[in-house]
Amino acid sequence: MAESSAPLLHYLDQGDPAATPLVLLHGLFGTLDNWQTLARRWVEEAGLRVVSVDLRNHGRSFHSPAHSYALMAQDVAALLDHLALDPARLTLLGHSMGGKVAMTLALTQPARLAQLLVVDIAPRFSNMEHQDDIVAGLQAVDFTALQSRAQADAALAQHIRQPGVRQFLLKNLYRREDNSFAWRINLPVLAAELAAIGEEITSAQPFLKPTLFIRGGTSDYITAEDKLTGIPALFPNSQIATVPDAGHWVHAEKPQEVFELVRNFATMSKPQ
């Protein structure tokens, strides 16, 4: 059963309250800040109401020892209730782990949304071994001695070569009131629950409403087999758009292409 007493997720609500709503769910080790450049554009250029969310154990949302897709989907459902967003007009977008949260909510509570947008993740099981170096890097930062972001970057670099990945992770670093550093993410729980974060999304009933999967052309998170069997089985009314020369962080690498795909999908005619 989902936690009934879980606090409300931290979120940022932008745009005209009467506009068509778009809800954004970030990926593992991310925050709502990762999507803010695009979120502002969808508000200003597409006329959408954009609600960006910090999922549990991430950003400024609450920490919990429990971290599952069922619980995260229920957290999002509670936020949708709180905001009283019109489900007949709502587009729910999720990237990576957030995409699996979005898929879970769509499959278990389809009446809550009009359509679904999933960025570079398939419903199948994801092997999370590629996250081991990231977890090792995050755990290598010694907060008892840390005095600067540069020192934290140097500690991460012992395990993570890519500067872009390190900068993404360092968005989680903040100073506490006593001026010491800490991670906003609940690292012990996320490290312990990596296998659960990789789990397959299943359902006895498919989600029949319009669904768009956006994949990076150089990413292997959505395979040819996913396109042929895994995705259509659960999302029969789905399309897959590939963004060339983009990896897993497709929205950061090719923001203009993702802006247009999401704008066109989220502003499709819906019943008022």
Side-chain angles (χ1 to χ4, degrees):
M1 293 294 291
E3 294 175 349
S4 59
S5 59
L8 198 66
L9 294 171
H10 175 256
Y11 66 94
L12 179 61
D13 188 356
Q14 299 170 278
D16 181 350
T20 298
L22 171 66
V23 176
L24 307 179
L25 309 179
H26 62 78
L28 180 62
F29 304 130
T31 77
L32 64 79
D33 293 337
N34 302 142
W35 285 84
Q36 280 318 290
T37 300
L38 280 168
R40 284 191 290 270
R41 290 192 64 192
W42 286 320
V43 169
E44 295 167 3
E45 299 176 42
L48 296 169
R49 174 184 179 181
V50 180
V51 179
S52 310
V53 181
D54 279 337
L55 295 168
R56 67 167 54 201
N57 293 317
H58 289 77
R60 290 173 172 81
S61 282
F62 63 91
H63 286 191
S64 169
H67 195 85
S68 70
Y69 285 115
L71 289 172
M72 287 189 281
Q74 193 55 45
D75 293 340
V76 175
L79 180 60
L80 299 182
D81 286 343
H82 173 75
L83 295 171
L85 299 178
D86 180 3
R89 303 167 68 209
L90 174 66
T91 299
L92 180 62
L93 179 155
H95 171 242
S96 199
M97 180 189 75
K100 285 191 166 182
V101 176
M103 284 188 268
T104 300
L105 183 58
L107 289 163
T108 56
Q109 303 184 56
R112 288 188 173 275
L113 62 155
Q115 51 190 17
L116 176 67
L117 241 165
V118 179
V119 181
D120 211 60
I121 196 72
R124 64 172 163 81
F125 169 77
S126 305
N127 187 324
M128 301 299 287
E129 289 181 0
H130 62 286
Q131 299 287 350
D132 289 347
D133 287 342
I134 288 179
V135 170
L138 291 166
Q139 291 173 333
V141 177
D142 179 7
F143 288 112
T144 63
L146 189 66
Q147 294 183 329
S148 70
R149 297 180 70 85
Q151 288 179 339
D153 184 51
L156 289 175
Q158 297 175 32
H159 300 271
I160 304 164
R161 289 180 298 173
Q162 307 97 314
V165 175
R166 297 201 304 273
Q167 289 307 305
F168 164 77
L169 295 170
L170 285 169
K171 290 181 181 294
N172 290 291
L173 190 67
Y174 78 107
R175 282 190 185 272
R176 296 188 290 202
E177 289 185 4
D178 64 3
N179 217 35
S180 65
F181 284 98
W183 295 124
R184 289 200 185 278
I185 51 173
N186 188 348
L187 181 58
V189 166
L190 295 178
E193 297 295 334
L194 273 184
I197 293 168
E199 75 177 18
E200 180 181 6
I201 304 302
T202 62
S203 176
Q205 299 295 325
F207 179 70
L208 300 177
K209 297 176 182 179
T211 302
L212 176 64
F213 284 78
I214 299 174
R215 66 178 291 271
T218 62
S219 171
D220 60 2
Y221 278 72
I222 295 178
T223 65
E225 185 176 351
D226 294 326
K227 291 190 280 186
L228 286 173
T229 58
I231 288 172
L234 289 175
F235 305 97
N237 190 13
S238 65
Q239 296 179 305
I240 299 174
T242 298
V243 178
D245 303 317
H248 183 54
W249 282 281
V250 55
H251 54 294
E253 297 172 32
K254 297 288 184 177
Q256 182 60 31
E257 289 85 343
V258 172
F259 168 78
E260 292 175 357
L261 285 166
V262 173
R263 176 193 59 191
N264 294 341
F265 186 74
T267 57
M268 288 194 311
S269 178
K270 303 182 185 68
Q272 299 299 311

